[in-house]
């Protein structure tokens, strides 16, 4: 990461009420100095100071951003306590006064934002004691940058390259019908052909978060109903979009894709549907399984997995509820919404379908597939895999170099540094020769 991108990341963290990455962490690192998790937090700090450029200027700018944190803390505590505090007091008995004191302590001494205080349930004694074991969203990329800055991420970022790597390894990937770029529409075999009479899913070959996605539902007689993933959509029980959509024939659809492909290469794939055992929201988006794996001493290890339920108001699953997955059985727990409000659901709030206790189909096959896939990316300490469980089998959708940490921790109520994630970090730190002292 460049100096500019690091500063932009720090500014975005402060602006969005996330974890403040710099100054308060020095105090936190001093308090938890002897521990392995203290070493992890210091490594994350190091990431902000390891870029090129003038160190003095960079440090002054980062210090300025960190001082802004102290100005924002009272406002954040007021906003979050006013909105969430009464509910917490009613459900847990933790008084408003106690919540304010806790938030002030964590924000000023450990740079834990009020948002994270509520998201991770730090108003309870057990969660409060685990604060140093959490990896905060502002730290994840800095850790990856420090552990192996030379890692080639092109095979993960470029979906075309990623798809071919999976195919070469005989791993399950989604059938790609065509690629669209530079004003040209090409099939996978570089032979022009009409689109198949089937539902299609279109996404940029470089992108994240489902941005730029299109759902093309086959409507018969050579026509498709188009739903733009960047716009709101309501799905009927027959899985047909009823609010936002264009009806195009094959020629019109190809012309539209060519036009969109001028700005960003697109990949056209056959649409996957949820396996019947996990069709929790009929007509909703494809649900996805995110599995985090790590490279540890020439071995690929499983760390954790989260199942995200496709929402009825979207064509991608990023906005849905998330559930922790039991490694041994593939059974999912209560669902949570990613964000500060600490609500859980045993049944889906829209469809009423059972969530807690449901077992994922093909769980062992999914886990085996991503553990095998990580061997092709052994220079990466961690990879977060997105996997689909469809009626046609297991499919690896994407491998992610960068990943959010809240959705990997909140559904379990368990910090990442209480898993093998910590062992993987320690291995890479020792491999790179980083010492465990207090200095950066």
């Amino acid at each position: 990461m460049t100096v500019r991108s690091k500063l932009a990341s720090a500014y975005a963290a402060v602006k969005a009420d996330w974890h403040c990455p710099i100054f308060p962490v020095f105090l936190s690192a001093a308090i938890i100095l002897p521990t392995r998790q203290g070493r992890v937090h210091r490594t994350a700090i190091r990431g902000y100071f390891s870029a090129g450029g003038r160190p003095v200027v960079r440090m002054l700018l980062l210090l300025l951003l960190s001082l802004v944190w102290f100005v924002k803390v009272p406002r954040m505590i007021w906003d979050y306590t006013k909105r969430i505090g009464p509910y917490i007091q009613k459900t847990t008995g933790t008084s408003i006064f106690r919540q304010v004191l806790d938030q002030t302590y964590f924000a000023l001494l450990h740079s834990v934002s009020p948002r994270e205080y509520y998201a991770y349930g730090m108003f309870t004694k057990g969660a409060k004691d685990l604060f140093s074991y959490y990896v905060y969203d502002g730290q994840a990329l800095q850790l990856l940058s420090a552990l192996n800055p030379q890692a080639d991420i092109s095979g993960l970022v470029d979906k075309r390259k990623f798809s071919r790597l999976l195919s070469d390894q005989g791993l399950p990937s989604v059938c790609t019908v065509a690629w669209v770029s530079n004003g040209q529409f090409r099939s996978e075999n570089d032979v022009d052909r009409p689109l198949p009479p089937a539902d299609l899913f279109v996404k940029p070959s470089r992108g994240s978060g489902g941005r730029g996605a299109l759902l093309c539902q086959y409507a018969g007689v050579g026509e498709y109903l188009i739903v733009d993933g960047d716009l709101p959509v309501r799905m009927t029980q027959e899985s047909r979009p009823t609010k936002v959509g264009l009806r195009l024939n094959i020629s019109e659809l190809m012309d539209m894709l060519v036009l969109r492909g001028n700005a960003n290469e697109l990949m056209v794939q056959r649409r996957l549907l949820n396996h019947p055992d996990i069709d929790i929201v009929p007509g909703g988006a494809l649900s996805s399984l995110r599995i985090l794996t790590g490279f540890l001493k020439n071995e690929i290890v499983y760390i954790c997995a989260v199942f995200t339920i496709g929402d009825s108001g979207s064509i991608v699953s990023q906005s849905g509820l998330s559930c922790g997955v039991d490694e041994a059985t593939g059974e999912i727990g209560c669902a949570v919404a990613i964000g500060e409000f600490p609500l859980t659901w045993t049944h889906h709030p829209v469809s009423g379908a059972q969530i807690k206790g449901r077992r994922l189909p093909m769980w062992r096959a999914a886990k085996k597939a991503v553990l095998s896939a990580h061997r092709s990316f052994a220079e990466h300490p961690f990879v977060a895999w997105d996997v689909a469980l469809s009626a046609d089998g297991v499919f690896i959708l994407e491998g992610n170099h960068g990943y959010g940490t809240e959705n990997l921790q909140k559904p379990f109520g368990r910090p990442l540094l209480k898993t093998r994630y910590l062992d993987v970090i320690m291995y890479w730190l020792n491999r790179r020769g980083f010492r465990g002292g207090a200095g950066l």
Side-chain angles (χ1 to χ4, degrees):
M1 296 178 69
T2 64
V3 175
R4 179 176 295 180
S5 64
K6 287 175 183 290
L7 292 174
S9 175
Y11 175 73
V14 174
K15 183 179 178 182
D17 297 351
W18 299 342
H19 177 83
C20 182
I22 309 296
F23 189 68
V25 184
F26 282 108
L27 300 176
S28 179
I31 293 170
I32 57 178
L33 178 61
T35 64
R36 294 203 300 169
Q37 67 267 27
R39 189 179 176 193
V40 172
H41 291 299
R42 291 194 303 277
T43 301
I45 299 170
R46 183 190 290 115
Y48 284 96
F49 292 89
S50 60
R54 296 182 178 181
V56 174
V57 175
R58 186 169 66 248
M59 188 173 296
L60 287 175
L61 288 173
L62 290 171
L63 179 60
L64 179 61
L65 288 173
S66 297
L67 292 177
V68 172
W69 177 261
F70 289 92
V71 177
K72 290 188 63 174
V73 162
R75 191 271 300 168
M76 290 190 293
I77 292 176
W78 170 264
D79 288 347
Y80 282 95
T81 304
K82 182 179 179 181
R83 186 153 44 92
I84 306 174
Y87 173 81
I88 299 303
Q89 180 173 254
K90 181 179 179 180
T91 56
T92 70
T94 305
S95 69
I96 296 292
F97 180 69
R98 180 76 257 175
Q99 293 176 51
V100 171
L101 286 181
D102 285 346
Q103 290 177 75
T104 304
Y105 167 77
F106 282 116
L108 297 184
L109 290 185
H110 302 292
S111 67
V112 175
S113 73
R115 177 186 182 277
E116 290 160 332
Y117 168 82
Y118 284 112
Y120 294 132
M122 293 182 185
F123 42 81
T124 63
K125 181 66 168 65
K128 191 182 303 184
D129 293 340
L130 295 175
F131 79 92
S132 66
Y133 290 91
Y134 282 99
V135 178
Y136 300 98
D137 279 339
Q139 297 178 311
L141 283 176
Q142 306 308 325
L143 282 172
L144 293 174
S145 176
L147 295 178
N148 190 10
Q150 285 79 39
D152 178 11
I153 65 172
S154 63
L156 295 173
V157 174
D158 187 329
K159 294 181 177 62
R160 178 194 281 252
K161 186 175 181 180
F162 177 77
S163 178
R164 289 178 175 170
L165 281 170
L166 292 183
S167 298
D168 291 344
Q169 297 297 321
L171 295 167
S173 60
V174 186
C175 174
T176 300
V177 174
W179 300 90
V180 186
S181 65
N182 299 323
Q184 295 185 327
F185 185 98
R186 297 176 181 271
S187 73
E188 180 66 8
N189 298 319
D190 292 331
V191 177
D192 292 338
R193 66 177 182 183
L195 294 168
D199 288 355
L200 303 173
F201 190 80
V202 183
K203 61 182 180 181
S205 65
R206 289 176 174 267
S208 62
R211 288 179 288 274
L214 290 174
L215 174 61
C216 308
Q217 291 186 304
Y218 188 66
V221 295
E223 292 186 329
Y224 296 83
L225 204 56
I226 314 303
V227 183
D228 190 331
D230 293 332
L231 298 175
V233 58
R234 179 169 56 86
M235 311 291 279
T236 67
Q237 289 187 347
E238 293 76 25
S239 189
R240 296 295 178 188
T242 61
K243 186 175 181 181
V244 180
L246 296 172
R247 198 178 184 96
L248 304 176
N249 60 36
I250 293 178
S251 177
E252 292 169 335
L253 174 56
M254 291 175 66
D255 288 342
M256 185 190 74
L257 294 178
V258 167
L259 183 62
R260 291 176 69 113
N262 285 327
N264 193 348
E265 182 182 54
L266 303 176
M267 54 196 307
V268 184
Q269 299 178 324
R270 287 184 178 271
R271 182 193 183 191
L272 296 177
L273 296 176
N274 291 316
H275 189 282
D277 290 351
I278 55 171
D279 195 20
I280 296 174
V281 183
L286 179 70
S287 298
S288 64
L289 180 63
R290 170 154 288 192
I291 305 177
L292 185 65
T293 59
F295 183 89
L296 176 63
K297 299 178 181 177
N298 298 319
E299 178 188 2
I300 307 301
V301 298
Y302 168 92
I303 295 172
C304 64
V306 173
F307 180 67
T308 301
I309 302 169
D311 193 0
S312 60
S314 174
I315 65 171
V316 293
S317 64
Q318 277 82 353
S319 61
L321 300 177
S322 296
C323 322
V325 181
D326 182 86
E327 180 185 2
T329 64
E331 185 176 297
I332 59 177
C334 291
V336 301
I338 300 305
E340 64 273 10
F341 219 88
L343 289 176
T344 60
W345 291 267
T346 59
H347 292 72
H348 197 276
V350 175
S351 69
Q354 177 187 345
I355 296 175
K356 184 181 180 181
R358 187 183 290 254
R359 292 201 173 189
L360 300 179
M362 303 171 288
W363 163 243
R364 293 185 184 276
K367 188 168 66 169
K368 181 179 178 181
V370 298
L371 290 173
S372 297
H374 196 153
R375 296 191 180 280
S376 298
F377 300 92
E379 73 273 24
H380 293 275
F382 302 100
V383 179
W385 306 93
D386 291 332
V387 180
L389 305 175
S390 79
D392 298 320
V394 172
F395 294 92
I396 299 177
L397 303 175
E398 293 181 359
N400 299 277
H401 166 71
Y403 48 87
T405 54
E406 184 180 325
N407 70 327
L408 295 173
Q409 298 176 114
K410 183 177 179 180
F412 296 97
R414 182 183 65 200
L416 277 173
L417 298 184
K418 279 287 188 179
T419 69
R420 299 199 75 181
Y421 189 91
L422 180 56
D423 296 330
V424 174
I425 291 180
M426 290 297 106
Y427 165 73
W428 282 85
L429 288 179
N430 294 331
R431 178 174 169 175
R432 294 206 64 205
F434 285 165
R435 299 190 302 273
L440 290 173

